[in-house]
Amino acid sequence: MSRTLPRLMATAFLAAALPMAALAQHTDSKGGTPTDAGFVTNASGAGLAEIEAGKLAETNAGSDKVKAFARQIVADHTKAGEELKTLAAGDRGYATAESPPPANQKDINALKMLNGAAFDKEFAKIMVADHQKAVAIFEVEAEKGSNKDLQAFATKTLPTLKEHLKMARALNTGK
């Protein structure tokens, strides 16, 4: 009988701890889901990539349309990035990216070697792909995030990203 009590207590402890372990897997240390933390990192990194590519386009692009689009990208993504950084640094303390993700940096490095029409063509292609990814990142947060402020930010920013995607597609087709 003395063996049964410790086993019973151990079983009761495990049964009580399991829901807590499951909960811990679905929230971060600040109470948000991994979706929220991933959103902050991915969205901030994507924004930094857009800003860097946009600044490069302002000097390397051949077309005035591409340069105008680049100026808008830099302005919009800088504003959104500052807002996201403020939201992330609040009581949640999510980490924002310090630099563009490696795949985006590879694209930026390739763009650095181009000028004029060749730059315009590659920049438009990259902007379409990057904005498709950004729209997807923001849609997931808007639908599945647990942090209401981040959800509101994602929902508010989505129309701008979709407009950027539309503009990038027009540049890519030459219209």
Side-chain angles (χ1 to χ4, degrees):
M1 187 170 244
S2 61
R3 286 185 174 169
T4 318
L5 187 58
R7 285 185 184 163
L8 186 60
M9 287 179 67
T11 304
F13 176 77
L14 281 173
L18 266 162
M20 294 299 198
L23 181 63
Q25 291 177 355
H26 294 293
T27 60
D28 64 19
S29 63
K30 304 295 183 180
T33 64
T35 301
D36 296 327
F39 168 73
V40 170
T41 302
N42 292 332
S44 60
L48 291 172
E50 302 304 328
I51 292 166
E52 194 170 330
K55 287 179 179 178
L56 194 56
E58 289 180 36
T59 57
N60 290 16
S63 161
D64 288 337
K65 275 177 112 172
V66 171
K67 288 181 181 184
F69 175 65
R71 282 189 295 275
Q72 183 172 354
I73 291 293
V74 170
D76 292 347
H77 284 275
T78 298
K79 180 181 172 196
E82 289 169 0
E83 186 175 349
L84 180 59
K85 195 172 249 186
T86 300
L87 289 171
D91 62 343
R92 299 285 176 167
Y94 296 121
T96 55
E98 298 293 321
S99 60
N104 293 93
Q105 191 60 56
K106 182 180 170 190
D107 290 338
I108 292 164
N109 291 342
L111 285 173
K112 287 178 181 178
M113 302 173 132
L114 302 173
N115 284 299
F119 178 93
D120 295 352
K121 183 178 179 181
E122 188 64 20
F123 177 75
K125 185 176 108 182
I126 289 169
M127 288 295 103
V128 169
D130 286 357
H131 281 88
Q132 285 173 331
K133 290 176 199 166
V135 165
I137 290 167
F138 277 72
E139 284 176 338
V140 168
E141 180 62 24
E143 294 171 18
K144 298 182 182 187
S146 66
N147 181 306
K148 298 299 178 206
D149 293 335
L150 291 175
Q151 273 188 312
F153 169 75
T155 301
K156 179 182 85 171
T157 308
L158 261 169
T160 302
L161 292 173
K162 288 179 178 179
E163 182 61 23
H164 289 175
L165 177 57
K166 181 179 169 186
M167 293 167 70
R169 284 181 173 146
L171 283 178
N172 199 30
T173 60
K175 293 181 182 175

